[in-house]
Amino acid sequence: MNQYKLPSQEKKPEYVRKNFDGIAKAYDRFNDWNSFFLHRLWKDWVVKEAKKAVPGAKSALDLCCGTGDITSRLSQDPNLETVVGLDFSEQMLSFAFPKVNGKSHVKLLVGDAMDLKQFKNESFDIVTMGFGLRNVSDLNKCLLEIKRVLKKGGVFVNLDVGRVRPKFLKFFADVYFFQIVPLFGYLLYGKQNEMFDYLPHSSKSYPDQETLAEILTDLGFQEVRFQNFVFGNAVAHVAKKGL
């Protein structure tokens, strides 16, 4: 692994916002390349499971929506009357706008996933998050805000990195994630950018799938479960708010 050093928790929000702005134009292709296009199937799964968990859902919030991959998928559900995509990177959002094609029931907002003051308690049936939770500086605060804006019986579905479980594969997974993945970013961006090092290194301080499930349960979420993808390289957690 290289000598990249993660920003402090205090500096993390501005660091992430500024640097995501800088790589926005290459981000979609970067995700395609580093996941061999599998991230598209994982995001399909997130939306499918969210709708299955709340069959009569009318409203959805996609946090840390980035370039709008999950937001656009949610917007295609004719039963959802309100879809909101929120991210604190304006440049990322600029690439999300074309994906929702000016749909009147979709809003894209600049905002902070840890401080959802623009939304009242119990505003959404569904909250989703794709590869964003590990970027917040206070995970518990973010999860409590998600729980607050969820309606009773609503569901939170989170997609992010996980830990590879077969021990014999972990070495190869780490080499790929920490050495090869940043190279994809450098090629796409046209030069070295430390954000492509940040993305894999941020996984080191992020809870593994079992620990995150325990955190969600401890915070009062119910029916918590997770689905591993590619031996745990990525993982989706599903958690409901009680009635």
Side-chain angles (χ1 to χ4, degrees):
M1 299 181 190
N2 60 33
Q3 299 302 309
Y4 174 82
K5 184 177 180 181
L6 287 167
S8 66
Q9 290 300 97
E10 294 77 16
K11 295 180 178 179
K12 188 175 182 178
E14 178 59 21
Y15 176 91
V16 172
R17 184 199 64 76
K18 179 181 177 181
N19 284 283
F20 267 125
D21 274 349
I23 66 169
K25 66 180 181 180
Y27 192 63
D28 281 347
R29 281 178 294 163
F30 173 70
N31 284 334
D32 282 342
W33 286 19
N34 78 62
S35 73
F36 300 98
F37 293 85
L38 290 173
H39 76 101
R40 301 185 183 201
L41 299 178
W42 305 336
K43 291 166 182 173
D44 289 342
W45 189 95
V46 166
V47 173
K48 179 181 176 181
E49 287 298 308
K51 292 191 294 184
K52 184 191 301 183
V54 191
K58 299 296 184 184
S59 55
L61 170 64
D62 183 27
L63 292 174
C64 301
C65 70
T67 60
D69 277 358
I70 294 177
T71 308
S72 64
R73 284 166 169 77
L74 290 167
S75 75
Q76 295 166 19
D77 182 349
N79 295 316
L80 285 173
E81 298 172 356
T82 301
V83 176
V84 178
L86 182 143
D87 200 281
F88 64 178
S89 167
E90 292 188 46
Q91 286 299 312
M92 283 285 188
L93 287 176
S94 72
F95 288 91
F97 277 102
K99 296 181 183 179
V100 297
N101 297 316
K103 295 177 180 176
S104 60
H105 69 298
V106 182
K107 294 182 180 178
L108 296 176
L109 304 175
V110 176
D112 184 351
M114 294 190 302
D115 185 11
L116 303 173
K117 56 182 178 291
Q118 63 270 63
F119 305 119
K120 296 179 181 178
N121 294 353
E122 300 182 8
S123 293
F124 297 97
D125 297 300
I126 293 169
V127 176
T128 58
M129 208 167 185
F131 298 105
L133 189 57
R134 75 184 188 280
N135 296 325
V136 303
S137 59
D138 190 328
L139 185 143
N140 280 21
K141 182 179 179 180
C142 182
L143 292 175
L144 286 172
E145 273 290 84
I146 290 169
K147 185 182 174 188
R148 179 183 68 79
V149 301
L150 266 178
K151 294 179 181 179
K152 292 178 181 178
V155 69
F156 171 49
V157 187
N158 179 66
L159 174 66
D160 216 311
V161 297
R163 301 292 196 280
V164 174
R165 281 298 169 244
K167 291 184 178 180
F168 71 95
L169 288 177
K170 187 177 184 305
F171 170 79
F172 300 102
D174 284 349
V175 169
Y176 177 76
F177 199 35
F178 289 92
Q179 300 293 335
I180 307 302
V181 165
L183 293 178
F184 288 151
Y186 303 160
L187 288 171
L188 288 168
Y189 189 70
K191 59 181 177 180
Q192 185 166 341
N193 183 302
E194 65 180 20
M195 197 58 178
F196 295 113
D197 291 297
Y198 164 84
L199 292 170
H201 280 80
S202 62
S203 68
K204 294 195 293 185
S205 58
Y206 184 67
D208 63 28
Q209 38 269 65
E210 291 84 7
T211 301
L212 182 57
E214 290 175 5
I215 291 171
L216 287 163
T217 301
D218 290 343
L219 291 176
F221 287 92
Q222 300 180 3
E223 301 177 38
V224 178
R225 57 189 173 87
F226 62 85
Q227 172 68 47
N228 284 322
F229 301 109
V230 194
F231 305 106
N233 270 293
V235 60
H237 284 77
V238 181
K240 297 196 76 172
K241 181 174 178 176
L243 296 172

